[in-house]
Structure formats: structure tokens, C-alpha cells
Amino acid sequence: MTRADVEIRFLAADDWRLLRAARLRALRDSPQAFTSRYSTESVWTEQQWRSRFIAAEWLAAVEPGGVIGIAGLADGRPAHAQHHIESIWVAPEHRRQGVFQSLITTLADRSRRSGHTELLLWVLEGNLDAVLAYRRLGFIETGERGLTGPHPHQYERRLRLPL
């Protein structure tokens, strides 16, 4: 589990700047894990960040020095579709300390309380560390595979966590 000084909390609408800072750090730190790029999102306007913020519920792992992890919980459209995780990231110096597990557990609890029976996500092919981490937490492959939008030869696979 996480250290006592790490708080896992959902962000409020006024926290969009925290999301921006953490997301840009994630894109710089782990560009191979995301379909977007730092060069794209670093020039977004406040309105673009606010739009991204309202597209999902954003969870942050926060310690006294700032945000050390983020994850989004989006509900598909139309309403009542499955919840899915997006943009999960933990700062390198905090990996393998329970932060990732705490983020996933909190999102799974929120989904379960909302009446969902599974939690979904897409993971880029070749991101073996992420796949192994998800498997350790109970995620299984759905058999779905798709091209990522901006990269014509990059695929991702869908995983699900039964709740």
C-alpha cells in the first residue's frame, strides 16, 4: 500500500492546472506509454485543458511535494456504458510503492459503487511493464485490438477487470 503521506483523491474542476502539470510530466517521462505527445498538449489553451478535465473523473496521488500519479475514469457514451481508465501514470521515483495499485483500487471501487461490473482500459502493445502491472491486479485481455488514432502502425489491446 502507499506511504502514509500520499493522499489519493478525486480532483475538482478548479484542479485542472494540477491535471495539466501532471499530464505534461507524464508525457515527458513516458512518451512511449501514451498516444498523445508533449509537443501537442503543452500548447493547449486553458479551454482545451478544461474540456479534457470534464471528459473524465480525474484521480490524483498527491504527496506534500505535489502530484505523483494520475488516472482518469471515463464513462463511455451513451450513458450507462462501461467505465474505462485512461491516462494512468505514476512518477518513476514512486513506482513499485503501491501508488498504482491505490489508483486502480480507488477507480474500481468508484465503478463498482456506480453499478458497473467491469472496468476497461486500452494499453499500447509493447508496453510490457504496464501489461504485467495490470495483470497482477486482475486485469485480463478481452481479445480486442485496435489501431491508435495518431500513429498508423501502433496498436493497443483492451483489458478488463471484473468487478
Side-chain angles (χ1 to χ4, degrees):
M1 205 38 69
T2 59
R3 298 183 325 264
D5 60 342
V6 175
E7 174 191 6
I8 305 295
R9 66 177 173 92
F10 282 93
L11 298 177
D14 288 339
D15 293 328
W16 68 269
R17 288 179 185 87
L18 291 176
L19 174 64
R20 176 184 63 195
R23 173 69 176 174
L24 292 177
R25 183 174 175 206
L27 290 170
R28 279 191 313 268
D29 169 67
S30 305
Q32 74 288 352
F34 300 102
T35 58
S36 187
R37 296 290 172 250
Y38 177 85
S39 60
T40 301
E41 294 187 23
S42 65
V43 296
W44 280 4
T45 65
E46 177 180 335
Q47 185 57 42
Q48 287 172 297
W49 280 106
R50 287 183 179 276
S51 294
R52 175 151 184 124
F53 190 90
I54 62 173
E57 291 183 85
W58 289 95
L59 185 64
V62 183
E63 68 171 11
V67 176
I68 60 168
I70 57 170
L73 181 63
D75 58 7
R77 302 290 183 251
H80 302 31
Q82 297 95 354
H83 275 164
H84 66 272
I85 296 172
E86 61 179 51
S87 302
I88 192 164
W89 170 81
V90 174
E93 62 275 15
H94 295 282
R95 293 179 185 158
R96 295 176 182 78
Q97 297 179 22
V99 176
F100 179 78
Q101 181 177 354
S102 293
L103 290 168
I104 295 290
T105 299
T106 302
L107 295 176
D109 289 346
R110 173 70 61 111
S111 290
R112 194 177 297 108
R113 283 193 309 274
S114 297
H116 293 87
T117 58
E118 64 184 3
L119 188 55
L120 301 166
L121 62 85
W122 291 95
V123 63
L124 291 173
E125 286 186 349
N127 191 347
L128 298 179
D129 288 338
V131 170
L132 291 173
Y134 290 125
R135 284 184 182 158
R136 280 192 296 273
L137 296 177
F139 281 85
I140 55 176
E141 291 200 31
T142 66
E144 295 172 81
R145 180 179 188 241
L147 282 168
T148 64
H151 308 287
H153 301 293
Q154 188 174 40
Y155 288 87
E156 55 190 354
R157 293 190 179 272
R158 195 167 208 182
L159 304 178
R160 65 182 280 276
L161 176 66
L163 302 175

